[in-house]
């Protein structure tokens, strides 16, 4: 009975991450194809506006999923991380770079800095779900 409850909580947390995470990953793609500084100003403003309420919460969902999985299913956690350590590590790097790129692109003073951080945000938003999918 307890394992079933933990599994349901885990499933709900993954679903919450997947629903809200789509905002992050879709925004990264649209940021990548938004265009130059002038043409892309409006789409990037919309991206910032759409992501602001959810982008940090998504990482909390991931940590919650890991803690629930670790405490509820330790053998599964161990086997998953032993066999899938590389794509999970690359996804973790992508999550960190995505967050840093998103947070630093707006306050960057120079256009070159905004482009660099925007590119980091966009590319890591494409790479991270790929490695999460490889894990799945």
């Amino acid at each position: 009975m307890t394992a079933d409850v933990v599994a349901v909580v885990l499933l709900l947390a993954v679903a919450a991450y997947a629903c809200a995470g789509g905002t992050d990953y879709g925004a990264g793609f649209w940021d990548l194809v938004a265009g130059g500084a002038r043409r892309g100003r409006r789409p990037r403003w919309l991206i910032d506006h759409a992501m602001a309420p959810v982008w940090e919460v998504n990482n909390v969902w991931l940590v919650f999923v890991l803690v629930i999985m670790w405490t509820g299913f330790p053998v599964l956690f161990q086997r998953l991380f032993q066999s899938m350590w590389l794509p999970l590590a690359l996804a973790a790097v992508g999550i960190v770079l995505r967050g840093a790129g998103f947070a630093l692109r707006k306050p960057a003073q120079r256009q070159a800095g905004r482009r660099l951080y925007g590119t980091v945000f966009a590319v890591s938003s494409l790479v991270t779900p790929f490695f999460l999918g490889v894990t799945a």
Side-chain angles (χ1 to χ4, degrees):
M1 176 74 177
T2 306
D4 293 337
V5 172
V6 173
V8 167
V9 170
L10 189 61
L11 178 66
L12 292 174
V14 168
Y17 174 75
C19 290
T23 305
D24 286 9
Y25 301 129
F29 173 77
W30 289 113
D31 185 85
L32 186 64
V33 298
R38 176 173 259 161
R39 194 180 100 197
R41 181 172 292 139
R42 174 90 172 131
R44 287 189 180 93
W45 179 85
L46 290 170
I47 290 166
D48 292 344
H49 183 71
M51 282 186 56
V54 297
W55 80 280
E56 282 202 45
V57 175
N58 289 333
N59 297 330
V60 174
W61 282 118
L62 282 178
V63 171
F64 182 72
V65 165
L66 291 175
V67 170
I68 293 296
M69 189 176 177
W70 174 37
T71 57
F73 305 104
V75 175
L76 174 65
F77 185 85
Q78 176 190 7
R79 292 203 177 133
L80 177 69
F81 274 79
Q82 281 180 337
S83 63
M84 302 302 267
W85 68 269
L86 183 59
L88 287 169
L90 292 171
V93 169
I95 288 168
V96 170
L97 289 176
R98 184 184 63 186
F102 179 72
L104 296 174
R105 75 186 174 116
K106 192 172 183 179
Q109 297 296 319
R110 295 183 182 184
Q111 183 65 28
R114 275 183 250 143
R115 281 189 181 149
L116 172 68
Y117 294 127
T119 301
V120 168
F121 167 63
V123 171
S124 61
S125 291
L126 295 173
V127 169
T128 302
F130 172 78
F131 287 116
L132 289 174
V134 166
T135 304

